[in-house]
Amino acid sequence: MLRTSLKALAIVGGLLGASPGAQAAGESVAPPNAGFSFNSTFGTFDRASAQRGFQVYQQVCASCHAAHLLSYRNLQALGLTEAQVAAIASQVQIQDGPNDEGQMFERPGRPSDRFRSPFPNQQAARAANNGAYPPDLSVIVKARPDGANYLYGLLTGYEDPPAGFAMGEGMNYNRYFPGHQIAMARPLNPDQVEFADNTPATVENMARDVTTFLAWAAEPELEERRAMGIKIIGFLVILAGLAYAVKRKVWANAH
Amino acid sequence: MASGLHNSDVPNPVLRWIDQRMPVITMMQKEYGSFPTPRNFNYFWNFGALAMVNLMIMIATGIFLAMHYTPHTSMAFDSVERIMRDVNFGWLMRYVHANGASMFFIVVYIHIWRGMYYGSYKAPRELLWMLGVVIFLLMMATAFMGYVLPWGQMSFWGATVITNLFSAFPLVGDWIVTLLWGGFSVDNPTLNRFFALHYLLPFVIVGVVFLHVVALHITGSNNPLGIEPKGPQDTLPFHPYYTAKDSFGLVIYFIVFAVLVFFAPNYLGHPDNYIPADPLVTPAHIVPEWYFLPFYAILRAVPDKLGGVLLMFGSILVWFVLPWLDRSPVRSMRFRPIARICFLLWTVSFAVLLWCGGKPAEEPYVTISRFATAYYFGYFLVILPLLSRIEKPLPLPESIARAVLGAGALPAGAAAKPMEKA
Ligand code: HEM
């Protein structure tokens, strides 16, 4: 009986295992495992890396990409103080209004504001980027298979096209972008930013940091979720033991 | 005077007062307390109770999601992310609901498989079985419309592909599609009506589940031997025996559920659904949720659109007539050596279809899907009717008690208890 149940479980497991294959490969190259801490089952985010990553995002990516699901106040979760967050927010001008005269006006940002988007709409973003649309990065790590490794691969995967590869006008060759031709020019170059903690601003370091930041942005609940999961599953395992003991006792003379 | 009152033996006077006027306590005691239940269930008999719990979880989490969700094409995606970020425990509600749908299908697929393996669809349980198929169809409709609500790329394109299928029907096809869309493409009216229906259908499911249980409590449960209980020695009162066994199964189910929700909440989803819907960008591969993949594979195995749609619906509708396709008087496959193997192969064909459904519509997957589809239908329409005539079943045990307890005397306690209560 147990064996039949196990067999059924194995079948179901097989079925589930089959489903992520749903994203068929096409022309993409699987990115290598970049070894992110948060990618392991009980892993957490490296705060220092995520803070540096925010700096990279702000100084590099934010000129083209929005992340409109994030608010400045969320940055406190990365270990920034309230004052630091307020200072970061106040650097941008946010459109607000209408005021009592019915006019829209600009004011310095507040921690409660959403991240300011670089373009007012998709058309403006395309117009500034040769017709290509830089996607919102809020959930980009959830929106790609193996998102964090992919993003790291993408940012470090710019190289010369192989001989004979027909490149489109204004396109860039990237090892990990599906189809290998991406409209985004190589965004990261050595020493593009200066980190306060003296971490060398190599392309690999910046890519790792900004990926950590965007992984947190996509799943800010990840650490809380896993911590709760450990407690709940621990509790359930004990409960399962008790429930099994009760079941055995009840059934003791019924077999 | 008292003749109008129910004759209640509930000890507590307040509860007795209620029970005399509305005998729900007596009813619960009869249907879930002393209810005589075959003593030989294996753990496959847990899955009905699990499905019931799962349905309640879906309704509870769904109602909380609906308090924060906005059914508008320009806001739906962001409102779901807002639930995940800004609503207290919103991420938990949403991940329980999204993975709850997967758990629901896992549970119900096992439940249906159990019914097929142990012949629970045969007389006198035909109607009970058919109500189950109705529940499954309603679940599919509910899950399909729920998946549209977050308004990601797969929501939009899945909805477009699936609703378009109806256009294959001659004469009424286009009319049905326009009705589903509320216009001439999948757009805001579609999202609105899908949300309304997604809220409604689970309660219809509750109604049909009620009928399913009513029918169950008339015929009583089947069991792994597929022979009817012949007397009290073959049964046990539902409580405490099966309440205890179901509780253990329930905790195991919660563990599997928790592993998904807390450690792999997006494992069964598609990353494309975190890209906001864009009618101008078609995803490279449009795939439905994993639990629809077998039927999707059947659809794509047929070169003709109408033929594919008919076969896809037919693959579930054929379950309705299963009690009349399989005429063998022996229920449990344990005693049907040939049918058992054929059915296990059918299970394989179902798994193969699930796998093919997630692959692109190209070779070799199309050919494999065709063979698997042929076997899927062949099992129901050819093998079972044929085996009903020619298969020689193994000898059935004399009674459940004999099979479980052996030829020796029954242990006194076990035999006495059910008789006191039943
Ligand atoms: C038979 C029970 C149910 C099933 C199988 C089901 C299934 C689903 C599925 C598959 C999704 C998409 C999940 C995702 O990927 O985000 C969903 C979303 C949703 N459901 Fe349900 N559901 C059920 C009951 C309910 C009920 C009773 C309600 C409300 C009263 C509800 C409200 C919602 C809402 C608001 C969403 C959108 C939020 C989201 O996408 O997470 N559901 N449902």
Side-chain angles (χ1 to χ4, degrees):
Chain A
M1 238 168 257
L2 186 65
R3 200 172 315 144
T4 17
S5 332
L6 285 179
K7 215 185 295 165
L9 273 180
I11 292 169
V12 173
L15 301 189
L16 298 184
S19 65
Q23 314 118 22
E27 259 201 272
S28 48
V29 181
N33 183 351
F36 284 106
S37 57
F38 53 84
N39 263 354
S40 62
T41 311
F42 303 111
T44 54
F45 295 113
D46 176 344
R47 289 288 187 289
S49 173
Q51 287 189 19
R52 289 193 300 271
F54 168 65
Q55 188 185 342
V56 176
Y57 165 77
Q58 211 188 14
Q59 293 177 4
V60 184
C61 322
S63 54
C64 299
H65 292 277
H68 81 287
L69 293 170
L70 294 167
S71 302
Y72 294 105
R73 64 179 164 81
N74 297 144
L75 293 170
Q76 275 182 260
L78 290 183
L80 299 185
T81 63
E82 221 176 315
Q84 281 172 317
V85 169
I88 290 167
S90 66
Q91 282 163 16
V92 297
Q93 291 294 312
I94 301 275
Q95 193 183 52
D96 205 342
N99 62 14
D100 292 346
E101 280 84 53
Q103 306 296 320
M104 302 304 281
F105 60 92
E106 301 250 309
R107 59 158 176 81
R110 301 183 195 122
S112 58
D113 285 319
R114 297 289 182 113
F115 276 25
R116 201 183 83 117
S117 302
F119 301 104
N121 50 53
Q122 205 189 113
Q123 286 76 357
R126 281 186 193 277
N129 285 284
N130 284 325
Y133 175 58
D136 188 290
L137 295 182
S138 317
V139 291
I140 198 82
V141 173
K142 283 196 287 191
R144 297 287 181 277
D146 195 12
N149 289 327
Y150 168 72
L151 189 55
Y152 180 79
L154 182 82
L155 295 174
T156 54
Y158 283 86
E159 50 190 50
D160 292 331
F165 189 92
M167 292 293 293
E169 174 79 23
M171 298 301 262
N172 308 276
Y173 188 86
N174 188 295
R175 199 172 150 70
Y176 299 108
F177 188 70
H180 302 300
Q181 298 200 56
I182 184 164
M184 169 169 71
R186 175 201 291 263
L188 293 175
N189 296 289
D191 297 321
Q192 204 166 0
V193 301
E194 203 176 311
F195 290 127
D197 61 0
N198 292 327
T199 304
T202 61
V203 171
E204 285 75 21
N205 282 348
M206 290 186 290
R208 175 168 291 275
D209 292 344
V210 79
T211 302
T212 302
F213 169 70
L214 289 173
W216 165 79
E219 295 185 281
E221 87 296 342
L222 176 138
E223 293 177 352
E224 185 192 354
R225 165 157 63 71
R226 288 176 179 171
M228 188 189 281
I230 291 170
K231 282 189 216 145
I232 291 190
I233 293 171
F235 167 77
L236 286 173
V237 168
I238 295 169
L239 191 63
L242 293 175
Y244 189 64
V246 170
K247 188 254 161 192
R248 285 284 298 252
K249 183 130 206 298
V250 168
W251 279 78
N253 58 359
H255 285 292
Chain B
M1 173 64 211
S3 64
L5 291 179
H6 171 71
N7 190 3
S8 172
D9 52 13
V10 176
N12 179 303
V14 177
L15 293 181
R16 184 168 59 240
W17 186 89
I18 295 174
D19 201 47
Q20 284 167 334
R21 284 153 185 82
M22 183 178 66
V24 283
I25 299 172
T26 304
M27 186 196 89
M28 286 306 286
Q29 172 58 25
K30 176 161 171 283
E31 303 299 337
Y32 287 99
S34 56
F35 191 67
T37 312
R39 62 186 312 146
N40 60 331
F41 282 177
N42 57 27
Y43 278 100
F44 278 116
W45 266 260
N46 280 25
F47 287 87
L50 297 183
M52 183 87 96
V53 171
N54 204 320
L55 176 61
M56 293 189 299
I57 293 175
M58 295 310 286
I59 291 179
T61 52
I63 288 175
F64 281 107
L65 288 174
M67 291 177 191
H68 304 278
Y69 169 79
T70 312
H72 189 282
T73 53
S74 67
M75 286 179 274
F77 185 92
D78 284 4
S79 77
V80 172
E81 273 300 320
R82 209 186 124 75
I83 292 173
M84 302 268 290
R85 287 154 194 272
D86 293 339
V87 174
N88 291 337
F89 298 109
W91 57 268
L92 184 58
M93 289 297 142
R94 198 239 168 175
Y95 280 154
V96 168
H97 196 78
N99 288 288
S102 285
M103 288 299 291
F104 206 1
F105 277 90
I106 294 173
V107 164
V108 167
Y109 276 139
I110 296 175
H111 189 64
I112 294 171
W113 188 92
R114 187 276 321 253
M116 289 184 176
Y117 187 82
Y118 295 108
S120 304
Y121 49 83
K122 293 186 188 186
R125 299 184 183 82
E126 307 95 317
L127 187 58
L128 170 59
W129 166 260
M130 292 163 85
L131 288 166
V133 180
V134 171
I135 294 170
F136 182 67
L137 289 171
L138 287 168
M139 270 175 67
M140 292 181 87
T142 309
F144 164 66
M145 289 191 270
Y147 192 59
V148 176
L149 302 184
W151 208 245
Q153 274 290 65
M154 280 301 161
S155 300
F156 179 87
W157 289 98
T160 303
V161 170
I162 302 298
T163 50
N164 249 315
L165 294 180
F166 290 89
S167 71
F169 292 116
L171 302 176
V172 289
D174 288 326
W175 179 79
I176 296 178
V177 176
T178 312
L179 195 72
L180 286 170
W181 286 347
F184 301 100
S185 65
V186 174
D187 207 333
N188 201 46
T190 325
L191 180 57
N192 270 292
R193 65 193 51 196
F194 278 20
F195 180 48
L197 293 173
H198 184 71
Y199 208 136
L200 170 69
L201 286 187
F203 296 93
V204 178
I205 295 178
V206 170
V208 184
V209 167
F210 179 77
L211 298 179
H212 190 71
V213 172
V214 169
L216 172 70
H217 282 223
I218 297 300
T219 62
S221 300
N222 187 26
N223 63 77
L225 294 173
I227 55 177
E228 291 295 327
K230 298 195 172 72
Q233 71 284 1
D234 288 342
T235 64
L236 293 170
F238 189 83
H239 180 72
Y241 291 96
Y242 286 108
T243 42
K245 194 164 181 173
D246 281 350
S247 301
F248 174 61
L250 189 64
V251 180
I252 299 298
Y253 154 88
F254 278 136
I255 291 176
V256 176
F257 201 159
V259 167
L260 271 181
V261 166
F262 293 105
F263 292 99
N266 294 310
Y267 175 68
L268 293 169
H270 197 295
D272 275 14
N273 224 28
Y274 282 111
I275 304 172
D278 185 345
L280 301 177
V281 181
T282 319
H285 300 290
I286 302 175
V287 277
E289 291 273 81
W290 70 266
Y291 35 79
F292 294 137
L293 292 177
F295 310 103
Y296 195 55
I298 292 178
L299 170 79
R300 295 191 306 178
V302 187
D304 172 67
K305 186 172 172 189
L306 180 59
V309 172
L310 290 178
L311 226 53
M312 182 181 72
F313 286 121
S315 65
I316 298 172
L317 295 181
V318 69
W319 296 356
F320 276 115
V321 288
L322 184 52
W324 296 276
L325 292 171
D326 179 6
R327 309 303 293 251
S328 165
V330 177
R331 293 200 190 99
S332 176
M333 292 282 179
R334 279 192 192 171
F335 306 105
R336 302 186 60 191
I338 308 175
R340 182 161 183 268
I341 292 173
C342 295
F343 176 65
L344 292 177
L345 285 175
W346 179 86
T347 313
V348 172
S349 79
F350 190 83
V352 166
L353 285 168
L354 197 159
W355 174 71
C356 287
K359 298 289 177 192
E362 53 194 44
E363 290 305 338
Y365 310 115
V366 175
T367 306
I368 299 176
S369 307
R370 288 192 180 141
F371 278 107
T373 306
Y375 188 79
Y376 180 104
F377 282 99
Y379 171 75
F380 289 123
L381 300 177
V382 181
I383 295 178
L384 277 183
L386 208 64
L387 285 185
S388 318
R389 291 155 165 245
I390 60 172
E391 187 183 31
K392 193 174 171 304
L394 304 178
L396 295 178
E398 201 179 295
S399 76
I400 295 174
R402 281 240 147 187
V404 177
L405 305 167
L410 299 175
K417 257 181 218 151
M419 279 189 273
E420 288 166 7
K421 289 204 173 174

